[in-house]
Amino acid sequence: MSVFAEQLKTLRKINGLTQKELAEKLKIKQNSYSDWENGKSEPNIEMLVRIADYFDVSLDYLMGEK
């Protein structure tokens, strides 16, 4: 699993959200979100920014940078 996938899953769980709930908040399909969390695909830069904004974290944090 990629660092991004692990960070995403951790943030989702810390915030008490299901994959479906977070997908709805991001306005995407649940299976697309699931693919990100399982490391099957990654979001584009625009979506990365939306995720970072939603969780109030930096892009560096999402990508596993210190």
Side-chain angles (χ1 to χ4, degrees):
M1 184 181 296
S2 72
V3 172
F4 167 73
E6 290 177 22
Q7 296 289 78
L8 186 59
K9 185 174 185 176
T10 299
L11 285 168
R12 177 180 61 78
K13 287 186 171 192
I14 287 171
N15 285 274
L17 298 167
T18 65
Q19 286 186 355
K20 182 179 179 182
E21 290 169 334
L22 185 51
E24 288 172 357
K25 291 180 184 298
L26 296 172
K27 297 180 175 38
I28 60 168
K29 294 181 180 179
Q30 191 271 329
N31 62 333
S32 295
Y33 178 84
S34 178
D35 285 348
W36 298 344
E37 231 181 65
N38 291 314
K40 294 180 181 177
S41 66
E42 292 184 352
N44 63 29
I45 188 68
E46 182 181 313
M47 185 56 68
L48 285 171
V49 170
R50 285 176 51 191
I51 294 166
D53 286 347
Y54 179 80
F55 287 117
D56 195 27
V57 298
S58 68
L59 289 174
D60 284 344
Y61 177 84
L62 276 181
M63 304 312 290
E65 299 295 321
K66 300 290 179 196

